[in-house]
Amino acid sequence: GAGVSQSPSNKVTEKGKDVELRCDPISGHTALYWYRQSLGQGLEFLIYFQGNSAPDKSGLPSDRFSAERTGGSVSTLTIQRTQQEDSAVYLCASSFSGPSTDTQYFGPGTRLTVL
Amino acid sequence: GQNIDQPTEMTATEGAIVQINCTYQTSGFNGLFWYQQHAGEAPTFLSYNVLDGLEEKGRFSSFLSRSKGYSYLLLKELQMKDSASYLCAVQGTNAGKSTFGDGTTLTVKP
């Protein structure tokens, strides 16, 4: 069906608040990835899901960050007690089976601004 | 860990050829990706190299030398729409984890 979608497209929040970002992967894609991109920077890997499990969570920057995926489809990235340094574009991508050769298709991203 | 280096900016003329280099030092290597990212948009996949050599895909080609920790993206017959950031990403042996370079901003001038 349609490409990867993410919501909200923009989120402005106050320091200390919790935020939840959502990703809807392409239907049938079993692998899902979260990245963070600060202004003018490259992509920073956060976490990867194969189905509902996350083999690699080492990219999560702190214990304030968590992610889950249910039903092998939608994923949410939660940031607790947001800090100004969390401001970035959060990108989600999905691929058909796994990370080896499958093309990752990116969503439009959620721009998070922490005041 | 992974360390990836690519030039910050490059400028080229419409119709010309440009080569964007990427060097990496990694503790493990599974493959190397190139992505294109226009300003304000999400990255889009260009190529994936696992074995040494040149992979050609239309106006874009990507080269890999694993022994040298080196890759390049070659863009031919440049068009104005090729102005974008080009991201080199190395996939390590940890499942799913790719490390991205900071990207090369290419400006194509008439």
Side-chain angles (χ1 to χ4, degrees):
Chain A
V4 177
S5 62
Q6 293 185 244
S7 61
S9 55
N10 278 285
K11 176 70 177 179
V12 180
T13 190
E14 293 179 349
K15 178 181 173 181
K17 301 281 189 183
D18 297 351
V19 296
E20 191 172 277
L21 312 180
R22 177 188 169 105
C23 172
D24 281 273
I26 292 172
S27 178
H29 280 194
T30 60
L32 185 147
Y33 314 79
W34 282 100
Y35 297 91
R36 180 168 71 173
Q37 187 171 35
S38 300
L39 188 64
Q41 300 295 312
L43 295 179
E44 176 187 0
F45 171 86
L46 297 179
I47 190 169
Y48 151 67
F49 286 92
Q50 183 62 44
N52 291 336
S53 62
D56 189 347
K57 302 179 182 179
S58 63
L60 294 176
S62 76
D63 58 9
R64 297 186 294 105
F65 287 70
S66 62
E68 64 175 15
R69 188 180 186 196
T70 55
S73 182
V74 172
S75 176
T76 55
L77 177 69
T78 302
I79 309 173
Q80 296 178 308
R81 305 180 302 281
T82 52
Q83 302 294 312
Q84 289 183 333
E85 61 262 28
D86 299 334
S87 296
V89 175
Y90 289 81
L91 289 161
C92 173
S94 70
S95 67
F96 183 67
S97 59
S100 60
T101 59
D102 282 352
T103 300
Q104 293 185 31
Y105 296 88
F106 283 82
T110 294
R111 182 174 298 277
L112 175 66
T113 303
V114 181
L115 301 176
Chain B
Q2 318 276 44
N3 187 40
I4 298 172
D5 290 307
Q6 47 181 135
T8 304
E9 295 181 333
M10 297 183 73
T11 302
T13 304
E14 191 175 15
I17 298 173
V18 70
Q19 177 174 312
I20 302 174
N21 295 324
C22 172
T23 58
Y24 61 91
Q25 298 87 41
T26 64
S27 57
F29 180 86
N30 208 30
L32 187 143
F33 293 91
W34 282 97
Y35 288 85
Q36 180 190 58
Q37 186 176 25
H38 286 99
E41 298 181 11
T44 56
F45 171 85
L46 289 178
S47 66
Y48 178 70
N49 291 67
V50 178
L51 302 176
D52 290 351
L54 188 67
E55 298 268 350
E56 297 187 72
K57 191 186 296 184
R59 295 190 298 114
F60 292 8
S61 303
S62 57
F63 172 84
L64 175 67
S65 169
R66 289 171 296 172
S67 62
K68 296 181 179 177
Y70 169 68
S71 173
Y72 68 72
L73 181 69
L74 192 71
L75 292 76
K76 303 176 185 176
E77 301 169 17
L78 281 173
Q79 301 175 11
M80 300 298 290
K81 67 179 182 179
D82 297 330
S83 293
S85 181
Y86 291 85
L87 306 173
C88 171
V90 172
Q91 184 183 47
T93 49
N94 279 341
K97 186 169 183 176
S98 290
T99 303
F100 283 76
D102 288 341
T104 298
T105 300
L106 173 66
T107 302
V108 180
K109 296 186 174 180

